[in-house]
Amino acid sequence: MSKFVFVTGGVSSSLGKGLTASSLGRLLKCRGLKVTMCKLDPYINVDPGTMNPGEHGEVFVTEDGGETDLDLGHYERFIDESLNRNSNTTTGSIYSTVISKERRGDYLGKTVQVIPHVTDEIKGRVMRLAGEEVDVVIVEIGGTVGDIEIVPYVEAIRQFRRDVGRQNVCYVHLTLVPYLAPSGEQKTKPTQHSVTELRSRGIQPDVIVCRSDKDISDALKRKISLLCDVPIDAVISAIDAESIYEIPLVLHEEGLDAVVCGILGLDPDAHPIALGDWERLVHRVRTAERTVRIGVVGKYVNLPDAYLSVVEALRHAGFHHGVQVQLEWIDAEMVPDLVPSERLSELDGIVIPGGFGERGIEGMVTGARYAREHAIPCLGLCLGLQVMVVEAARHLAHLEGANSREFDSRTPHPVIDLMPDQAGVVDKGGTMRLGAYPAMLAPGSQVEAIYGASAVTERHRHRYEVNSRYRARLEAAGLRCSGTSPDDRLVEFIELPGHPYWIGTQAHPEFKSRPDRPHPLFRALVGAALERAEGREPRLIDIGDLDSVA
Ligand code: GLN
């Protein structure tokens, strides 16, 4: 039977509930337990796919094409398990199901209410993740206790313990212990209030994780233990860590995983922890001395969370090479003004990430061109590939006015367009290509060498594609379509023979990168950037012999 850990948060948003939950997941996994995770989000959107990444951060895409909260990215990176669309539930999706059931007559003439109908649906969503192959399901509840939207979730998880038995559930509550400089003290009152709020909903937390920028003394822990009625061992101090990948070690040191195991009746001695690999990873993070500067040319650069998985994938690649990746956030709209300055020439590499809408596109095209002409390693992700194709069409194939139909419906050369499906139908309804799709890589191509494979799968989230009518002209101008769908209809990868690294992918490889298993495209990008940073002859390193194209 699976056990369940519910992680709630109090006092303030952005305390790092997702990272705490993910770190606990990693620790339990390091104890040999099989872990899965999910997020319950109290907003009314059916999924985050329709939200503005500039406000809500990145939309994380799962293998099965779920458009989910960015915390699922942390979960996958920390527990190294692929999740699916069932791993993220929102109030919108709960209500949508409840209302369809009501319309179908499933509730047999009853009055449909938050309790029990909504709460039952929430519990059902958690329950479907349990099973023989899962020891622990970790459930993060979005938002903060006290929020109006969170009430049905708190009620549902309260009932859950009664449904599955006390020994199968652990409530972890994350709070903030602020340090007040004028009085020189750390304050527990916000924690007390937050726990009081949780209790008023019928939940007594088993564990309190206290976020703080300073260590929490034993005396303070005793106070929290007394006032919030949890054993002192279950008051965990979570001080700010330099890297998010240190958090599991900090929490383990504080005994979080042992306490949670104890509450769930899982004997910690029967599940000894093996943290060696993770410790080695953190050591590599800490000791990296060299630096490469990677420019991210995008339109949501004011909220770096909009590119969270891209940033993490670059960091992972840095861990592999033993370098710090210093990110330069470059507002795409500003790029044309930057060309004469040193801002671009000083970059060791460029990433053009995904995005929707016209704003910033011309700047991205300029950035792609600058990278091509100055031999700066450049990786285009989804929209990034499309922009590189537009750039090559305009300046290598001399197709004046070439563009994506998304940005210019009257372009004379729609080199990026909506493509008909296998039945020949162009769906203008705007359905997206979502989730994992296979691609075949051309023999002898850079991408084949980088992946070390001739067939790969990557996750997608886009509507537009390289227009197959232009493929021959683009290839004649020097662009190589180095990866395609197995039926050869869709272009999945492009590259530029002779350039150290000018590669675009129609997919989002960033979603599959792991701290201890960096994604090959990012690993090779940072490798090429390192060559440039160290003033070596530009050539791809660490990925086989590519001298013929370098
Ligand atoms: N806007 C582009 C499309 O829909 C690219 C999307 C993306 O980068 N995820 O095809």
Side-chain angles (χ1 to χ4, degrees), residues 354-356 382-383 386 406 461-464 508:
F356 293 81
C382 201
L383 175 68
Q386 299 177 356
E406 182 182 1
R461 179 173 183 254
H462 59 102
R463 293 191 180 90
Y464 290 81
H508 287 282

Side-chain angles (χ1 to χ4, degrees), residues 320-506:
H320 171 87
H321 290 287
V323 298
Q324 301 268 6
V325 174
Q326 186 185 323
L327 293 169
E328 299 277 332
W329 294 104
I330 299 177
D331 181 346
E333 285 180 294
M334 302 300 294
V335 172
D337 299 337
L338 296 176
V339 169
S341 73
E342 281 169 1
R343 185 93 195 273
L344 297 182
S345 62
E346 285 180 350
L347 294 174
D348 304 315
I350 290 178
V351 173
I352 307 177
F356 293 81
E358 199 195 335
R359 185 165 65 82
I361 292 301
E362 288 307 314
M364 294 177 205
V365 172
T366 308
R369 181 179 192 177
Y370 191 91
R372 179 173 60 76
E373 291 178 343
H374 294 80
I376 299 180
C378 178
L379 172 61
L381 304 167
C382 201
L383 175 68
L385 168 139
Q386 299 177 356
V387 158
M388 290 165 107
V389 168
V390 167
E391 196 281 308
R394 288 184 192 170
H395 307 118
L396 290 178
H398 307 294
L399 299 168
E400 209 178 312
N403 212 332
S404 162
R405 185 91 73 185
E406 182 182 1
F407 314 126
D408 179 1
S409 56
R410 293 146 66 115
T411 169
H413 298 294
V415 288
I416 306 292
D417 206 345
L418 296 171
M419 283 289 103
D421 63 17
Q422 264 146 334
V425 179
V426 178
D427 188 346
K428 295 229 162 61
T431 44
M432 281 207 252
R433 184 143 80 102
L434 278 169
Y437 281 85
M440 309 305 289
L441 307 180
S445 61
Q446 287 178 317
V447 286
E448 187 204 42
I450 288 171
Y451 275 99
S454 53
V456 295
T457 62
E458 294 289 1
R459 301 182 195 173
H460 289 248
R461 179 173 183 254
H462 59 102
R463 293 191 180 90
Y464 290 81
E465 308 279 354
V466 174
N467 187 340
S468 42
R469 286 195 294 119
Y470 283 91
R471 220 163 111 181
R473 283 161 89 176
L474 291 166
E475 298 219 274
L479 191 75
R480 181 162 194 196
C481 296
S482 48
T484 60
S485 56
D487 62 5
D488 201 38
R489 268 186 337 113
L490 302 172
V491 173
E492 296 281 13
F493 292 88
I494 56 128
E495 62 192 48
L496 195 68
H499 192 287
Y501 189 118
W502 201 79
I503 293 176
T505 162
Q506 189 54 79

Side-chain angles (χ1 to χ4, degrees), residues 198-367:
L198 200 54
R199 280 199 194 134
S200 76
R201 301 278 167 202
I203 294 182
Q204 165 63 41
D206 297 301
V207 180
I208 299 179
V209 178
C210 304
R211 292 279 294 112
S212 181
D213 49 6
K214 292 197 166 16
D215 224 346
I216 292 174
S217 66
D218 283 348
L220 214 60
K221 282 189 179 176
R222 258 195 301 281
K223 189 170 167 191
I224 295 170
S225 155
L226 183 68
L227 293 166
C228 300
D229 203 18
V230 293
I232 188 151
D233 295 353
V235 181
I236 306 290
S237 157
I239 55 165
D240 297 347
E242 256 179 48
S243 143
I244 58 172
Y245 298 108
E246 288 190 30
I247 300 173
L249 301 183
V250 170
L251 295 176
H252 173 66
E253 194 67 20
E254 282 284 309
L256 175 67
D257 47 315
V259 169
V260 169
C261 283
I263 290 160
L264 295 176
L266 299 163
D267 177 6
D269 295 333
H271 300 279
I273 196 149
L275 264 183
D277 288 348
W278 200 266
E279 281 166 347
R280 273 188 288 283
L281 174 81
V282 168
H283 181 74
R284 276 216 303 283
V285 176
R286 281 210 192 121
T287 50
E289 278 175 2
R290 295 174 299 174
T291 302
V292 292
R293 301 169 88 181
I294 306 282
V296 181
V297 179
K299 64 189 250 195
Y300 311 114
V301 290
N302 294 330
L303 183 74
D305 265 4
Y307 303 118
L308 187 60
S309 294
V310 175
V311 172
E312 292 308 321
L314 286 167
R315 293 217 172 106
H316 304 162
F319 304 161
H320 171 87
H321 290 287
V323 298
Q324 301 268 6
V325 174
Q326 186 185 323
L327 293 169
E328 299 277 332
W329 294 104
I330 299 177
D331 181 346
E333 285 180 294
M334 302 300 294
V335 172
D337 299 337
L338 296 176
V339 169
S341 73
E342 281 169 1
R343 185 93 195 273
L344 297 182
S345 62
E346 285 180 350
L347 294 174
D348 304 315
I350 290 178
V351 173
I352 307 177
F356 293 81
E358 199 195 335
R359 185 165 65 82
I361 292 301
E362 288 307 314
M364 294 177 205
V365 172
T366 308

Side-chain angles (χ1 to χ4, degrees), residues 3 9 43 105 125 129 183 191 202 242 289 329 441 455 466 478 543:
K3 311 262 181 183
Y43 48 73
R125 300 283 178 106
L129 299 170
S183 58
T191 299
E242 256 179 48
E289 278 175 2
W329 294 104
L441 307 180
V466 174
I543 48 174

Side-chain angles (χ1 to χ4, degrees), residues 30-84:
C30 287
R31 285 185 180 273
L33 294 162
K34 282 170 265 146
V35 178
T36 193
M37 301 189 64
C38 83
K39 173 122 193 235
L40 304 177
D41 267 318
Y43 48 73
I44 296 174
N45 304 58
V46 172
D47 63 45
T50 53
M51 287 193 223
N52 181 345
E55 273 170 33
H56 188 75
E58 155 188 292
V59 174
F60 185 80
V61 181
T62 52
E63 285 289 294
D64 63 344
E67 297 179 273
T68 70
D69 187 83
L70 54 75
D71 272 318
L72 268 80
H74 285 315
Y75 303 168
E76 285 206 0
R77 287 186 282 273
F78 276 72
I79 65 172
D80 196 11
E81 301 281 342
S82 279
L83 302 172
N84 57 50

